[in-house]
């Protein structure tokens, strides 16, 4: 079945819709069939929407221009990244204004102070794991030794993704979540269990932030079950939607095959499966 057929029939059940981007609305630089029609129909009906991304390395303006270039008009304030979720998480955990030792690239962060000098790490409230390419050895060793001395302090990992596909080589690149798990595993060998706070999909922080943003921007107070999440990843989009109580809808235009969708169990099982948007 096509998602648009479902949406045209069932949109009245929902107070908002949350979209994944890659594999759902676009494939690389081009829009997927029906994406423009769907976004147009959601906007014309005045239904609140937002786009969730685990990419914390690009600004919302950059993510927005990426979608606009693919022919899908959007506004920067409609994008919610794992890094934006840090705002809500900082408030909930009393991190606001405190200094964290930063590993890798972290875009723009306003709610925390960042420390880059390993010599000053002991003054930090915790460590935050960024993305991008960087010389890992110095910062990883500083972080590992920091957590050996202060195992109770938090390790914030905005992007929980283990890896992402490298479009050039066809292989995979190790994501921030994969790097954090290396540090976690290493410390476990020393008998230390880290307090890790993952913020992006499928973890709750990004969803709590999305609900807050929908309330703030549109003045709506929906139950999670009145929101629909459309995405292409069982582990990220569907698991996150199910865990947060949203209605989960999978499209098979990205990284999930029909067989994988049928075999999915528990939190990974989508409530609806669609071949494509249109
Ligand atoms: Mg995706």
């Amino acid at each position: 079945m096509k998602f648009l057929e479902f949406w045209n029939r069932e949109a009245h059940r929902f107070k908002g819709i949350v979209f994944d981007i890659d594999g759902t609305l676009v494939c690389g630089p081009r829009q997927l069939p029906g994406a423009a029609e769907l976004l147009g129909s959601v906007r014309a009906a005045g239904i609140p929407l937002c786009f969730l991304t685990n990419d914390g390395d690009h600004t919302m303006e950059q993510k927005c221009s990426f979608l606009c270039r693919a022919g899908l008009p959007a506004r920067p304030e409609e994008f919610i990244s794992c890094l934006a979720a840090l705002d809500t998480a900082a408030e909930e955990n009393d991190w606001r204004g405190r200094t964290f030792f930063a590993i890798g690239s972290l875009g723009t962060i306003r709610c925390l102070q960042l420390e880059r000098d390993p010599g000053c790490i002991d003054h930090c409230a915790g460590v935050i794991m960024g993305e991008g390419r960087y010389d890992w050895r110095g910062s990883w060793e500083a972080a590992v030794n920091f957590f050996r001395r202060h195992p109770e302090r938090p390790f914030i990992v905005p992007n929980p993704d283990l890896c992402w596909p490298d479009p050039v080589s066809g292989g995979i690149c190790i994501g921030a979540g994969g790097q954090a798990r290396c540090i976690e595993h290493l410390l476990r060998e020393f008998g230390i269990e880290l307090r890790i706070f993952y913020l992006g999909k499928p973890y709750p922080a990004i969803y709590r932030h999305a609900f807050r943003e929908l309330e703030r921007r549109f003045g709506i107070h929906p139950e999670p079950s009145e929101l629909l999440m459309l995405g292409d990843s069982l582990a990220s989009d569907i698991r996150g939607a199910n865990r947060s109580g949203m209605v989960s809808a999978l499209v098979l235009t990205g990284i999930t095959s029909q067989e994988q969708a049928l075999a999915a169990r528990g939190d990974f099982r989508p409530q609806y499966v669609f071949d494509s948007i249109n």
Side-chain angles (χ1 to χ4, degrees), residues 19-26 52 201 229-233 236-237 251 254-255:
F19 291 102
D20 169 56
I21 302 172
D22 298 312
T24 299
L25 298 172
V26 296
L52 291 197
K201 299 177 288 182
M229 164 104 212
L230 182 66
D232 73 312
S233 161
S236 176
D237 305 316
V251 271
I255 60 172

